[in-house]
């Protein structure tokens, strides 16, 4: 049975939700599922914008078939060929063999790599600034390389201001019957999933996102139709998500806050992290979050390091190095181009305490990371003689808050 929704008078969402997938890209946990969005335009010509993951292929095909209601499918615009959006292309070609494909030259190359049975004579390759008229609607094609694959483009309907934004402005979570951002409590319920999606999937490519945002600023965008998550139609909501993307893609913190991430073997480092949080609260620094690096998936840590202005890394020394889960977090920060944060370091060890020095060396490989001179060094556990250093660190963080 079909389950589509109307976006505008002649544009329909024909996607589907996947609540069974445990790991997005086999990496990132999905506790609330994910949607795969695709759209059908009913103009003089019918147009399908992208497809869906094969896991929801049956629902997707039923939706497309129902919206077309016996009409042929004339065009398929492929904005992004990652398999979670392109896997159903072969099924579309089987059911509507006369469909013409519109996509970028780079996408054609990658489609061939994935082995899609596409006749190159039926592909219209488009580049930046090209347009296509389907009747009442004329669309323009805008290149969006590395947001987040090199072949990606976005398609802008110049007639009604709809932007088919590929992976940009998407989010984790299934839609659960709703579609538009104004049908959700997005700012309270969804924003963390949107941030975790963007920062972990596209975080490395901030400059490329900035380039796309500059292009978008010159368009009269009234609706944003991404490939994951809700459709944006409320002007305030569109302004809100654009502002978030501005922060995330320029690596500017969303808000002043302290993220304390600790790696602890037997509880000593964890206790020290808790005590620091209490000392900060005594000084009026209340926007704090504590994370156990061993039990928190790194995608959540990356999301919050993009959110908060200050970071405290508290790590035990392990095999004369950094505690492995903490080291993995640092490597993910480097891989995703995290920068422009104020960082403090706490170290622990029963002998040959080296984690603090090594953490600072890792941080030195990141851009614009300001490392506070104050820190705490513990031998096995926090002792009375460590408390002055703990207070000095809390004072330094609190003073830094007041200066900003």
């Amino acid at each position: 049975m079909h389950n589509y929704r109307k976006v505008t008078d002649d544009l329909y969402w024909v996607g589907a939700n996947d609540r069974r997938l445990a790991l997005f890209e086999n990496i990132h946990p999905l506790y609330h599922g994910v949607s795969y969005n695709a759209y059908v335009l009913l103009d003089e010509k019918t147009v399908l914008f992208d497809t869906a993951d094969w896991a929801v292929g049956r629902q997707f095909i039923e939706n497309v078939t129902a919206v077309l209601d016996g009409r042929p499918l004339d065009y398929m615009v492929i904005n992004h060929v990652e398999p979670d959006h392109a896997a159903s292309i072969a099924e579309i070609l089987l059911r509507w063999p006369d469909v013409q494909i519109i996509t970028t030259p780079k996408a054609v190359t990658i489609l061939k790599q994935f082995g899609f049975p596409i006749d190159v004579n039926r592909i219209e390759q488009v580049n930046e600034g090209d347009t296509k008229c389907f009747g009442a609607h004329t669309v323009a094609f805008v290149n969006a390389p590395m947001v987040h694959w090199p072949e990606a483009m976005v398609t802008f309907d110049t007639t009604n201001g709809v932007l088919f934004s590929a992976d940009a402005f998407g989010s984790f979570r299934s839609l659960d019957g709703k579609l538009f951002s104004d049908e959700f409590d997005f700012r309270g319920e969804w924003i963390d999933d949107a941030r975790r999606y963007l920062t972990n999937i596209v975080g490395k490519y901030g400059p490329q996102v900035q380039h796309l945002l500059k292009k978008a600023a010159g368009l009269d965008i009234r609706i944003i139709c991404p490939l994951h998550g809700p459709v944006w139609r409320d002007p305030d909501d569109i302004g809100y998500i654009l502002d978030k993307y501005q922060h995330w893609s320029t690596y500017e913190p969303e808000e002043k806050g302290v993220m304390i991430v600790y790696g602890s073997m037997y509880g000593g480092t964890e206790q020290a992290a808790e005590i620091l949080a209490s000392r900060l609260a005594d000084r009026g620094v209340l926007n704090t979050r504590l994370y156990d690096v061993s039990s928190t998936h790194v995608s959540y840590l990356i999301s919050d390091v993009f959110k908060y202005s200050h970071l405290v890394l508290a790590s035990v020394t392990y095999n004369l190095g950094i505690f492995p889960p903490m080291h993995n977090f640092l490597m993910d920060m480097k891989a995703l181009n995290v920068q422009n944060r104020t960082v403090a370091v706490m170290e622990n060890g029963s002998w040959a305490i080296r984690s603090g020095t090594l953490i600072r060396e890792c941080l030195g490989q990141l851009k614009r990371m300001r490392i506070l001179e104050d820190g705490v060094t513990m031998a096995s556990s926090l002792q009375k003689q460590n408390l002055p250093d703990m207070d000095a660190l809390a004072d330094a963080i609190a003073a830094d808050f007041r200066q900003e």
Side-chain angles (χ1 to χ4, degrees):
M1 175 58 69
H2 63 264
N3 185 23
Y4 60 79
R5 285 200 63 185
K6 181 180 287 190
V7 179
T8 67
D9 287 342
D10 51 7
L11 179 67
Y12 296 82
W13 175 85
V14 294
N17 296 288
D18 188 351
R19 298 177 191 84
R20 296 185 178 186
L21 184 66
L23 296 173
F24 188 82
E25 295 185 340
N26 211 24
I27 302 175
H28 311 294
L30 289 177
Y31 297 115
H32 304 288
V34 68
S35 72
Y36 302 109
N37 301 341
Y39 308 89
V40 167
L41 176 67
L42 300 180
D43 202 344
E44 292 177 19
K45 299 294 184 179
T46 61
V47 189
L48 171 65
F49 294 91
D50 295 293
T51 70
D53 191 274
W54 189 240
V56 297
R58 178 177 178 178
Q59 182 69 75
F60 163 68
I61 292 296
E62 288 180 352
N63 292 345
V64 174
T65 302
V67 169
L68 289 174
D69 193 23
R71 292 185 62 180
L73 180 60
D74 298 308
Y75 290 96
M76 176 167 51
V77 175
I78 302 173
N79 289 298
H80 183 31
V81 302
E82 194 170 5
D84 57 334
H85 307 298
S88 297
I89 288 175
E91 187 68 19
I92 293 292
L93 295 174
L94 284 172
R95 292 172 182 263
W96 292 280
D98 295 326
V99 66
Q100 293 291 118
I101 297 171
I102 301 174
T103 195
T104 64
K106 185 66 174 177
V108 174
T109 299
I110 299 178
L111 286 168
K112 290 178 181 177
Q113 292 172 188
F114 277 111
F116 286 105
I118 295 176
D119 181 355
V120 294
N121 295 318
R122 291 172 47 205
I123 299 177
E124 183 176 342
Q125 299 186 31
V126 293
N127 294 291
E128 177 84 22
D130 288 346
T131 62
K132 183 73 175 182
C133 181
F134 300 118
H137 293 261
T138 298
V139 302
F141 303 103
V142 180
N143 289 338
M146 300 319 300
V147 186
H148 69 117
W149 277 25
E151 90 303 346
M153 70 175 181
V154 300
T155 302
F156 180 64
D157 190 330
T158 63
T159 304
N160 59 9
V162 173
L163 178 69
F164 299 94
S165 62
D167 269 346
F169 310 113
S171 177
F172 294 140
R173 279 187 178 253
S174 61
L175 293 169
D176 299 345
K178 298 179 280 290
L179 176 61
F180 301 98
S181 61
D182 52 89
E183 295 178 331
F184 302 91
D185 174 17
F186 189 91
R187 304 182 193 201
E189 182 182 3
W190 275 68
I191 184 58
D192 289 342
D193 281 298
R195 182 190 307 104
R196 189 163 67 94
Y197 170 82
L198 185 280
T199 57
N200 283 276
I201 306 301
V202 195
K204 178 181 178 66
Y205 304 110
Q208 288 82 355
V209 174
Q210 274 288 297
H211 191 49
L212 179 59
L213 288 175
K214 289 182 173 64
K215 293 180 181 180
L219 304 175
D220 182 19
I221 299 173
R222 300 170 205 169
I223 297 176
I224 300 176
C225 290
L227 291 178
H228 297 289
V231 170
W232 304 85
R233 65 179 177 182
D234 180 89
D236 289 340
D237 285 350
I238 292 175
Y240 173 79
I241 196 63
L242 285 172
D243 178 70
K244 292 299 183 184
Y245 265 61
Q246 177 67 20
H247 280 83
W248 299 334
S249 62
T250 57
Y251 308 98
E252 293 294 330
E254 289 177 61
E255 59 188 61
K256 290 171 63 174
V258 183
M259 178 184 178
I260 303 173
V261 182
Y262 63 85
S264 187
M265 293 173 62
Y266 301 109
T269 308
E270 178 182 13
Q271 182 188 54
E274 292 270 7
I275 290 172
L276 176 62
S278 296
R279 293 289 200 273
L280 290 172
D282 286 339
R283 290 157 176 79
V285 180
L286 302 177
N287 191 17
T288 57
R289 293 292 302 273
L290 268 72
Y291 285 111
D292 183 342
V293 74
S294 296
S295 61
T296 307
H297 192 273
V298 70
S299 67
Y300 290 92
L301 301 178
I302 289 296
S303 178
D304 268 7
V305 83
F306 270 81
K307 179 179 181 180
Y308 294 117
S309 57
H310 290 64
L311 171 66
V312 178
L313 300 175
S315 177
V316 68
T317 301
Y318 192 91
N319 281 338
L320 299 181
I322 303 170
F323 190 52
M326 183 67 75
H327 187 260
N328 291 342
F329 175 40
L330 284 161
M331 292 302 97
D332 264 36
M333 288 173 59
K334 180 181 178 181
L336 292 169
N337 207 19
V338 173
Q339 55 189 275
N340 192 32
R341 295 298 184 270
T342 299
V343 189
V345 178
M346 301 169 65
E347 61 178 354
N348 195 359
S350 295
W351 68 96
I353 305 170
R354 302 187 65 235
S355 58
T357 298
L358 296 174
I359 288 172
R360 288 183 173 87
E361 289 177 2
C362 288
L363 292 170
Q365 300 174 30
L366 277 62
K367 302 174 184 176
R368 298 191 296 156
M369 301 296 272
R370 186 164 65 92
I371 306 173
L372 296 179
E373 293 183 6
D374 294 279
V376 177
T377 297
M378 299 163 276
S380 300
S381 63
L382 195 70
Q383 304 293 325
K384 186 176 180 179
Q385 61 266 26
N386 300 128
L387 294 181
D389 288 342
M390 181 70 75
D391 284 324
L393 177 56
D395 286 338
I397 294 173
D400 207 63
F401 261 56
R402 288 190 291 270
Q403 291 174 6
E404 293 187 356

